[in-house]
Every structure is written in C-alpha cells, then in structure tokens.
Amino acid sequence: MPKIVVLDDNMVNMIAAGEVIERPASVVKELVENSIDAGAGRVAVNIEDGGRKLISVVDDGMGMDAEDLARAFEPHATSKIATSADLLGISTMGFRGEALASIAAVGTVDVVTRAADSIEASCLSIDCGKAEPVSPCSGDYGTTIEVRDLFYKVPARRKFLRTANTEMTHIIERFTRIALAHCDLDMKLTHNGRQLYHLVRGGAIRDRIAQLTGPAIADDLIELETEEKSIKIAALLGRPTQTRANNKLQYVFLNGRFIRDKFISHALREAYRGLIEPNKFPIVFLFLEMPPDRFDVNVHPTKIEVRFDNANLVHSAVLAALREKLLSINFEVSARMPIATVSLHGEQQTGKEGQARRQRIAEAMADFFKHHKPAAGPQQHLGFSSPTALKSAQKTAPSKTQQAITQQQDFVTKPKKLLQIHNSYIVTEADEGFVIIDQHALHERIIYEDLCRKLAEGNLQSQQLLMPETFDVTGAQAEAINSNARLFEKIGVRLEPFGPGTMAIQAFPSMLAKVNRLEFIRDLLDVLTDTGAGLDAERVLHEALDMAACKAAIKAGQALTPEEMAQLIADKDTIERAGRCPHGRPTTIKFTLDELQKQFKRT
Ligand code: ADP
Ligand code: MG
C-alpha cells in the first residue's frame, strides 16, 4: 500500500472543479451568474472553438477592488453569505464561493476588473491555480474574465470534451436558460467572431422567447399569471397542438434560477393530461417566485435541483393554475389549420373579424374532409414511394438473404384476402393462419429502407423548389445548420440564408414530396440542437431518415383502397427486415391456425 498523503490545495481544487465545471458551458453559466449577482446590465459572452480555446465574459457590474480580486479565486471565497443564517434566505445566483476557484484550477484565467468608485482597474492572471500578484492596470468599469485552454492540465477531462459544435450547443442552452429568466439583462453571445444572439434588455418575455426559440413557438403561447398559496406563478404555455417529442422546451425557473424538479415535471404532465398524446411533451415556460426560506438550493453543486419545504404544495399549486387555464380554452376552435395564417384574398386580417373568418374557413375545411374521402388512385393519394423498380431488379437476381427472407415470410407473399380494420390495420389470410399488419409501421419501414438504399447508391434525388420556402431560425439553429451542412447535403435538403434570422429551403428530396417540409426541418433541427442526445454523424443521419420515413408514411386512420393495400403488401417483400419498423416496433403480427384452434378449444 502506498503511504497516505494529504493533497495540496491545488489538487483539492482540481478535484472539486469536477463537480462544478463539467465542460465549457458550466464556465459560461458560472461567470454570467456572477455578472448578474454583480448587478450588471450588460453581459457579452465570447467563445472560440466551442470554449476550448477561449471563454470570455464581459460585464458592466460593480467590479471588485484589488483586495477582493486577490481573494475571489480562493476556495470558499464569497461576498454573498457570511453566516449559516444567510443560507436560509439566498437571493443571489451564487453563494458557495467555489466557481472561480474551480475555474482557475483547471484553466488559464485573466481578469480585469474595476469597481465603480475606483480610479483604476486591477488585473490578475492565474495559470491552473498558480496566481500572479494582483497589479493595477487600465480598464472599464465592470469585470472581464477570460478563460483559456480549459482542462489543459486535466487530460482525463479534456478527453471528454466533444466537438466545438456540441460544446457550443451546451453553451447556447445555458445561455438560453439565463436569458429567459433575465429580460432586464442585455446579453450577447458570439462564437468564433460570429454573433449568435444579441438580446436587448427591457423587452417582454415573449419577445425573448421568440429570439431564443423562434417566433413560431413564441407567437402561439398562452399567458398565465396568478398567485396560489403565496407562490407567484407566471407561465407561457404551448397549445396542445404544439407538442414535442422531448422535454427540451420545458423551462422551469424558481426565483430566476433554472431548475429541474420531478414534482414540477409531473405537474406539467398532469396539467396537459388528456389534451395531448401521452408520449408527447408540452412546451412550457414556467416562472415561479416564492420566499427563499421555503426551499433549499444548497443540495446540488450546480444548484439545478432544489428541495422544497412542501413539494406537494408546489405541485398542487402549479397543477391547479395550469389546468384551470388550459381547460378554460376551447382548443378545438382555435387549433391552427394550415390556412389560418393566410387570407384567401391576400388581404391582412386582424382582430376579431379575421379570427371569426379563419374559424369559418377551418370549420368548412373540416366539414369538407369529413364528407369527401380522398380520391382513390393509389400512387396519387398516398404519395406512395413504392420501390417497384428496385423490386424487379431484385426479383431477377435475388440475394441469399433475400431468398431467406422471402421464404420465411412466405405467408404474406400470397395474400388471399385483404381487409382493412379501423383504417389502421390490414388483416390478411396466410397459409397457416393470418397476419395483422400495422399500415403506418410497415410503410414507414419500406420508405426507410428505400431511403437508406438510395442514399448508399448516391441516388437520393433532390428537387429544386419553384418557390423557396422560408423559415425563421434562432442563433442555435443557424449554428446547427452551418455545422451540419454535410448532413443536409447528403439527404438532399438545400438550405440557404434568406436575410437576417431567416433561411430558405431551396431543394428537398423528391422521394419526400408529400412531407411537410417546414415541419421536417423543424424536427430535424430539434434533434441537431438537442444537447442531451450527443449523437454522432451516423446516428444523426439515420435519425433524419427515420423522421423522414415516419412523416412520409401513410398514417393510422387513413382509409386504403384494395389496390393500395396490395401495393403495400407487395412492397413488404422487397424490403429486408420488414418485420420491424425503424423504431423497432413490429410491423406484422402473425396468428397461426393452431393458436386459433387452441383458443376455440378445438384441440
Ligand atoms: P460565489 O458566486 O458563490 O460567491 P464565485 O467563486 O463565483 O462564488 O465568486 C467569488 C466572488 O467573486 C463573488 O462572491 C464575488 O464577490 C466576486 N465576483 C465574481 N465574479 C464577479 C463579477 N463578475 N463582478 C464582481 N464580483 C465578482
Ligand atoms: Mg458564483
């Protein structure tokens, strides 16, 4: 056994840094929070190479004098609390006094700071815990902190840094969380010299949401403001028609701090129960204010979790407030139809008159679709991307695998009768029984395989759009489009800038002619900007194909003609692994006569 030694302060800080400083985004969060605590009105964040090369935060806050600056980077040095009693009423973002010490332990730090009553600024350089003496220098009021070469002496951590793009996505997410809670703060974010965001202060929260997540989301939010059991609740709620596949667009703030809390998440889910599909997530921006002595923020190093004195009370207050608001709105009438934003004669319609008119149009359309079933013609109405050409090519020279699959699934290759039930499933007789086919899952699989094959053959044709389709992008989305240029090119989607904050779809894969292009791009951008996912290029590509296949496939609930059903069953045989849809759900379930006989007690 080696001898026990007591680690020196520097080592202790390096180890402690692991808890607070996980990646460049953590540095951004800690530094901007310090600026907020220093009463700043402006904060500019400047990043190079995803934070690996440089993270710089400039504020116009109260600054520090030379004496404070010399202390600020020591472990457990804070100006925000002094006694244990202070821990019970924390109203600042920081209080643990460990962020600066942790940052300085794992990177190179240069600080210039000038307090409001000082005639000169002070500066300080620290290299992985080793500080030079503080010296006077020239500088503006406020504080500038530059962090370079993060983790350069901690290879174990540096190794875990992802690509600049991924780190940037994390930084944007932290920046967004702070920005949503501080409309009174002017905030800028720049990456490699490119300004991603400039959020001016003093605007409405809805404007900030629009700048950070896009106007398509912000415009439709339902506002709510109330007080329940001395908890102030303000919220902007997505409509039930606007759900997402993950909870990325659920932002919960407690006294200006972004938090994650399972009680609150549960309350959000409950509030939308019955209004949205169970596996979907509503868009929610929730701002709670309550006395600081009713919860404890000192339970997690990054303060993302809190402990409520009475979590049930918080749960029930949030649930009651949201539920009441949601149930008071008749979503059926206000549900957005594609036509709702465009007037038939091109004139601008505002206010009640436009709304009533849009509603009449929506009702008329709903009525039309109720009484007119889509026209027959299989290729036309389904937008069937039938891999028929491919099928004949394969039939002439079937591969070994192909033969095996065909044999194994022989029971569906010779369908005798086809019956569609509940407009969702196809039942067909098979030699030794019958099979039930999930029409959406199967079609999705067929298209997915076809897309994969065409992609591999370099045959995924793209079609130039007559009219480019424009859409708004946030800084994060623009960044994602920029850094995923190859992906978009590969799948045949051409996006080009179209004025500030706007992009245009110029070309789209011909195979996906029937897909709602804007929706596809939006969902794909969701995946690309999802910090949690951390997908590599290959996974992202397949995610994109998955998504395309799902959107292009016939839906459950869609009536099919006998020809369409036959086409679907015929295509099934040309596709490998047709037994599972891309999400891994089965497309076909087989029932044997044996089983039937057993069930009917014939054996
Ligand atoms: P904490 O925020 O928990 O107090 P930090 O390590 O983040 O701990 O900061 C230590 C101290 O340095 C703060 O308490 C504050 O007094 C000072 N400080 C840090 N950043 C700034 C800033 N941007 N402007 C003025 N003072 C700052
Ligand atoms: Mg701090």
Side-chain angles (χ1 to χ4, degrees), residues 64-67 69-70 110-114 120-125 131-139:
M64 286 174 270
D65 60 23
E67 196 185 337
L69 177 58
D110 289 291
V111 193
V112 178
T113 181
R114 181 170 169 192
E120 60 180 6
S122 314
C123 59
L124 172 63
S125 297
E132 309 274 321
V134 169
S135 58
C137 62
S138 66

Side-chain angles (χ1 to χ4, degrees), residues 484 487 524 527-528 535-545:
N484 287 285
L487 167 77
L524 185 54
V527 172
L528 295 177
L535 302 176
D536 58 29
E538 185 73 5
R539 286 279 305 282
V540 169
L541 175 64
H542 283 272
E543 192 83 19
L545 297 182

Side-chain angles (χ1 to χ4, degrees), residues 210-282:
Q211 278 184 284
L212 290 161
T213 66
I217 288 169
D219 289 352
D220 257 2
L221 296 169
I222 302 156
E223 273 181 55
L224 152 71
E225 219 177 312
T226 179
E227 186 165 339
E228 299 244 356
K229 296 160 185 145
S230 71
I231 303 172
K232 284 204 188 103
I233 301 176
L236 289 100
L237 305 172
R239 289 173 188 276
T241 43
Q242 253 195 335
T243 55
R244 290 305 168 98
N246 58 34
N247 65 356
K248 240 196 85 190
L249 280 174
Q250 293 188 352
Y251 287 93
V252 177
F253 300 91
L254 175 60
N255 292 4
R257 191 192 302 282
F258 176 88
I259 59 159
R260 283 235 180 78
D261 182 80
K262 57 180 190 302
F263 289 95
I264 295 175
S265 299
H266 184 265
L268 301 185
R269 213 167 36 241
E270 285 299 299
Y272 278 82
R273 182 187 284 281
L275 296 169
I276 63 175
E277 286 173 50
N279 56 345
K280 289 289 169 80
F281 295 83

